[in-house]
Amino acid sequence: RDLVRAREDCRGDLMRARHRLSKLLLRRGIVYYDGDAWTGKHDAWLRHEALPRLSSRATRLAFDSDYETVLATRARRDRLDVSIEGMAADSEFTAMVRRLGCLRGVSTLTGFALAVEIGEWHRFTGNTIGSFVGLVPSEYSSGSSRVQGSITKTGNTHVRRLLVEAAWHHRPRYTVSKTMRDRWELAPPAARARGDEGNRRLHQRWVKFIERRKK
């Protein structure tokens, strides 16, 4: 769990470091429009196009500092990813990670994080695990009046974020990709069947929400 949370902290550090660098350029009117940010193409743009447009020596030094922080933090995140993937492939959590990997949106890193954060899964049911991670609606009741509000957001915030991010992967049309087939090869037949059934059911939930214009 400490390793997973160290990786989570590193993810936040990397996001903040990237924001600092992009906002430094934005204050000088330098904006990247040619595709997604923080790709190899964007990195080349930072070094060869954005940096030469900074006229002040002080601003260039600030750019170098922020850019080096991004590189160092990204390298630290990658080292943690390698360590987690190694433990996920050979540890007491391996079987659980492979079963969770049968679901869309649950990669090795996500599955390992869920396994170590939740621990003993048998202490929960489908009706109780939602309250553990704060994904149940808040409620105010008085007499015969019962009003439900937004989710409580109590409990394990890390698990909640992972589950929400994984849920978004079920919105597109469900197709069994090569990545999914490779994960299924590592899991027992019962987990593969359950994962396929779950993927279809969760996509249909998205379809029904969209048809009802639910956010």
Side-chain angles (χ1 to χ4, degrees):
R1 185 188 301 176
D2 290 335
L3 178 61
V4 167
R5 293 187 178 181
R7 199 270 181 189
E8 176 72 4
D9 293 339
C10 186
R11 183 194 68 86
D13 293 342
L14 179 59
M15 179 180 65
R16 286 185 288 272
R18 286 172 169 175
H19 284 176
R20 283 194 295 269
L21 180 58
S22 62
K23 298 305 181 290
L24 172 69
L25 296 175
L26 182 61
R27 290 195 296 271
R28 271 71 187 174
I30 304 173
V31 182
Y32 180 71
Y33 293 106
D34 196 13
D36 295 332
W38 311 114
T39 60
K41 187 176 182 180
H42 179 242
D43 186 73
W45 176 84
L46 287 172
R47 291 182 286 108
H48 301 302
E49 295 186 39
L51 179 59
R53 293 170 62 182
L54 297 174
S55 57
S56 169
R57 179 173 177 270
T59 307
R60 289 192 177 195
L61 291 174
F63 175 93
D64 290 340
S65 175
D66 290 343
Y67 183 67
E68 289 173 3
T69 302
V70 170
L71 296 181
T73 309
R74 186 173 61 189
R76 179 159 56 94
R77 182 205 60 184
D78 293 343
R79 290 195 300 269
L80 290 171
D81 287 350
V82 171
S83 300
I84 291 174
E85 289 175 355
M87 294 189 67
D90 185 20
S91 69
E92 59 183 299
F93 303 103
T94 301
M96 176 60 68
V97 171
R98 290 177 176 175
R99 290 199 296 271
L100 290 171
C102 294
L103 291 169
R104 282 205 294 179
V106 182
S107 63
T108 300
L109 296 176
T110 301
F112 187 79
L114 292 174
V116 299
E117 289 285 348
I118 294 178
E120 180 53 58
W121 291 71
H122 296 291
R123 60 194 173 121
F124 299 110
T125 66
N127 292 327
T128 62
I129 194 170
S131 59
F132 174 71
V133 296
L135 286 174
V136 293
S138 57
E139 181 176 328
Y140 175 79
S141 300
S142 177
S144 60
S145 173
R146 179 172 180 264
V147 180
Q148 288 186 316
S150 57
I151 60 174
T152 61
K153 294 186 179 180
T154 58
N156 194 310
T157 58
H158 182 41
V159 171
R160 183 170 64 253
R161 183 186 66 80
L162 293 174
L163 291 176
V164 170
E165 288 183 355
W168 279 95
H169 286 77
H170 291 274
R171 183 173 187 175
R173 184 173 63 89
Y174 174 51
T175 57
V176 183
S177 63
K178 181 181 183 303
T179 300
M180 183 61 67
R181 287 195 296 269
D182 292 341
R183 292 180 189 169
W184 283 359
E185 290 296 326
L186 300 175
R192 295 200 296 268
R194 187 69 178 272
D196 182 63
E197 178 185 349
N199 290 333
R200 297 180 188 279
R201 178 178 60 83
L202 292 171
H203 173 64
Q204 288 304 314
R205 291 291 294 274
W206 264 108
V207 172
K208 291 180 180 179
F209 283 144
I210 293 172
E211 290 175 348
R212 294 163 55 193
R213 298 182 180 180
K214 298 282 286 186
K215 292 185 179 180

